[in-house]
């Protein structure tokens, strides 16, 4: 499994969105900015995709949502519609969870699934396992799974899966807190494998998983422990 270096693609960002110079954060400016016209730019929703895309392997990245009132994270097909109104859902090429109006967490499944989250999600891990055809979301602070999508059923499209980000509903008064891609992950290859029980909510039912895990550590400047247990059905 690879802890990937994700960079936002400014050419896909809705005109309200401002991407940082290093491509690692995005914020809603609240105004329609003058940006180059691009075929792949979202024009009706505050969405942005990453530059990277994946067709195989296991990939992990982490996002700091801070104290945002709304947000959405996940993956999208590289061929998703970027023009006009679109509802993020698996049938439309999006596998996404989100936080709405500082109130509820949802998986944008078909139909939507309300998520039970302990505390507030501030740092969210996203684990794309192409071999298992799963997308898993993790509460980094609680070291617990939040939701698991199957990305193999009912999908006939071909192409790459691309990390997806949204600052949520485009409100009249923008929430300027940025979404930040967390950097500085590495493997602690000396850590022994553990078997934590992780609670995972699926689109059909909740299940308890007892799977091999590998500990990822974030090299935080303050030296704070940023461990997150990532599950897999096989060896890394």
């Amino acid at each position: 499994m690879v802890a990937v270096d994700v960079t936002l693609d400014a050419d896909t960002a809705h005109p309200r969105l401002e991407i940082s110079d290093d491509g690692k954060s995005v914020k809603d400016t609240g105004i329609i900015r003058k940006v180059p016209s691009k075929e792949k730019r979202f024009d009706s929703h505050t969405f942005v995709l990453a530059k990277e895309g994946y067709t195989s392997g296991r990939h992990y990245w982490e996002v700091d949502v801070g104290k945002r009132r709304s947000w959405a994270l996940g993956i999208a097909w590289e061929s998703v519609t970027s023009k006009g109104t679109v509802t993020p859902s698996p049938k439309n090429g999006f596998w996404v969870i989100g936080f709405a109006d500082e109130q509820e967490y949802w998986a944008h499944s078909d139909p939507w699934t309300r998520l039970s989250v302990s505390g507030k999600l501030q740092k969210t891990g996203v684990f794309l396992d192409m071999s298992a055809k799963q997308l898993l979301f993790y509460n980094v602070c609680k070291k617990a799974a939040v939701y698991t999508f199957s990305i193999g059923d009912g999908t006939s499209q071909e192409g790459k899966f691309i990390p997806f980000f949204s600052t949520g509903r485009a409100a009249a008064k923008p929430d300027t807190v940025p979404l930040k891609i967390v950097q500085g992950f590495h493997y602690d290859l000396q850590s022994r494998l553990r078997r934590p029980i992780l609670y995972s909510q699926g689109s059909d039912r909740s299940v308890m998983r007892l799977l091999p895990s590998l500990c990822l550590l974030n090299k935080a400047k303050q030296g704070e422990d940023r461990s997150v247990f990532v599950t897999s059905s096989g060896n890394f």
Side-chain angles (χ1 to χ4, degrees), residues 61-76:
W61 60 97
E62 211 171 86
V63 183
D64 186 345
V65 301
K67 296 182 179 180
R68 284 200 56 81
R69 297 188 295 268
S70 298
W71 51 264
L73 304 170
I75 59 172

Side-chain angles (χ1 to χ4, degrees), residues 12 39-40 42 49-50 53-54 75-83 86 90-95 155-162:
T12 67
E39 183 179 351
K40 60 182 179 179
F42 291 99
L49 301 178
Y54 313 108
I75 59 172
W77 278 112
E78 63 178 335
S79 59
V80 291
T81 300
S82 60
K83 307 303 181 186
V86 60
K91 68 181 180 181
N92 291 329
F94 297 86
W95 291 261
T155 57
S156 59
Q157 301 182 57
E158 296 182 356
K160 298 177 181 179
F161 286 108
I162 300 178

Side-chain angles (χ1 to χ4, degrees), residues 30-160:
I31 59 174
I32 301 297
R33 302 159 57 243
K34 292 183 178 180
V35 293
S37 177
K38 300 288 183 179
E39 183 179 351
K40 60 182 179 179
R41 187 182 303 283
F42 291 99
D43 65 0
S44 298
H45 303 279
T46 52
F47 297 169
V48 61
L49 301 178
K51 292 181 178 180
E52 298 79 12
Y54 313 108
T55 59
S56 62
R58 298 182 175 99
H59 311 276
Y60 179 82
W61 60 97
E62 211 171 86
V63 183
D64 186 345
V65 301
K67 296 182 179 180
R68 284 200 56 81
R69 297 188 295 268
S70 298
W71 51 264
L73 304 170
I75 59 172
W77 278 112
E78 63 178 335
S79 59
V80 291
T81 300
S82 60
K83 307 303 181 186
T85 302
V86 60
T87 300
S89 67
K91 68 181 180 181
N92 291 329
F94 297 86
W95 291 261
V96 174
I97 68 167
F99 186 47
D101 300 323
E102 271 187 306
Q103 294 181 6
E104 296 175 331
Y105 294 94
W106 293 90
H108 294 217
S109 50
D110 295 315
W112 283 20
T113 303
R114 182 178 294 173
L115 303 180
S116 176
V117 175
S118 176
K120 188 172 183 179
L121 277 176
Q122 183 167 341
K123 286 194 175 179
T124 304
V126 186
F127 177 36
L128 174 61
D129 187 342
M130 297 294 292
S131 59
K133 296 184 178 181
Q134 287 185 329
L135 178 71
L136 302 97
F137 294 89
Y138 287 87
N139 184 333
V140 174
C141 296
K142 298 294 184 180
K143 301 177 184 176
V146 175
Y147 190 81
T148 303
F149 277 106
S150 170
I151 58 174
D153 298 334
T155 57
S156 59
Q157 301 182 57
E158 296 182 356
K160 298 177 181 179

